[in-house]
Amino acid sequence: MYYIMGSQHHSLVSMISYPDMGWGLHFTKGEYLPPDFGAGNILIEFESDHSNLPDYFEIDGTPIVSEKFVQLWNTLPIDNYQLFPITARFPSFVLQGHQILNVVGREPCIDTEASDCNLYEGHIMRIKNLVLRSDLNKALDFFRAEKYPLAIVISARITDLLKSSGLSGLLIMPADGWSDKHRF
């Protein structure tokens, strides 16, 4: 069984910026990035102060994780990810210690015929009822969905480890039947 990993926190109004960001979608494509990407100058600017950031949250589909999350994540049997340090700037203080979790890899996992989704030029724009393909490689543990890369898919094995970890901010839902309505 597969699950979608997402964020419980949608009230953290902020934006990501870094050198040469263009449209700023680099971290949601599922692509490997050069290790010096952002040149150590990735900034997340929050509109209001938050005294305590969760261990996991997302900004525009980009996972941001705490040191506690990274310590657990580095023990998992996966290697298709990258970590990029960020600086979190709030109106009255600056915080270090969180990182962007770049998911490397996209898989054609969505059964677009069986799923209830809105398509535009072959790309999924909204998912109302996700159905995974029956021929999905069951050995995969962690990836972005090929036709809807905002969906981060994790295996039951990874889900069990994350749920028992006590990490804050994670929203883990079964992939089959999942809807992206919580993002709107």
Side-chain angles (χ1 to χ4, degrees):
M1 183 167 186
Y2 282 95
Y3 295 83
I4 302 293
M5 181 171 78
S7 175
Q8 293 178 353
H9 301 275
H10 296 284
S11 60
L12 299 172
V13 180
S14 58
M15 69 174 249
I16 300 173
S17 63
Y18 46 91
D20 302 320
M21 73 181 269
W23 287 98
L25 301 173
H26 295 95
F27 298 108
T28 60
K29 293 181 178 181
E31 296 175 353
Y32 177 82
L33 298 170
D36 62 346
F37 186 85
N41 296 316
I42 301 173
L43 176 68
I44 299 184
E45 294 189 69
F46 290 86
E47 288 187 8
S48 60
D49 286 339
H50 298 278
S51 59
N52 208 5
L53 289 176
D55 294 311
Y56 182 96
F57 62 98
E58 293 176 358
I59 307 293
D60 298 329
T62 298
I64 313 296
V65 297
S66 70
E67 187 58 40
K68 181 180 174 184
F69 184 100
V70 170
Q71 288 174 0
L72 170 70
W73 199 253
N74 286 336
T75 69
L76 299 177
I78 54 177
D79 62 3
N80 60 322
Y81 66 92
Q82 296 175 280
L83 295 165
F84 294 91
I86 60 111
T87 298
R89 183 184 299 155
F90 300 91
S92 61
F93 65 98
V94 173
L95 179 69
Q96 302 285 347
H98 279 69
Q99 299 186 53
I100 288 176
L101 175 68
N102 185 40
V103 180
V104 178
R106 288 170 53 170
E107 290 294 323
C109 61
I110 299 174
D111 183 338
T112 53
E113 296 296 319
S115 296
D116 182 6
C117 53
N118 296 344
L119 296 170
Y120 177 73
E121 295 184 359
H123 298 282
I124 297 173
M125 304 308 288
R126 287 287 317 273
I127 296 178
K128 297 174 187 162
N129 183 27
L130 176 66
V131 177
L132 293 181
R133 292 172 46 159
S134 60
D135 62 346
L136 179 61
N137 180 351
K138 302 299 185 221
L140 298 172
D141 280 316
F142 175 63
F143 55 90
R144 285 190 182 268
E146 175 69 36
K147 290 195 176 197
Y148 191 79
L150 293 178
I152 299 172
V153 182
I154 58 176
S155 68
R157 175 169 67 153
I158 301 301
T159 297
D160 292 343
L161 293 168
L162 289 174
K163 284 185 175 182
S164 66
S165 70
L167 293 169
S168 62
L170 282 168
L171 179 61
I172 298 174
M173 300 166 285
D176 282 316
W178 179 78
S179 167
D180 64 359
K181 68 181 176 188
H182 67 286
R183 291 192 168 137
F184 301 99

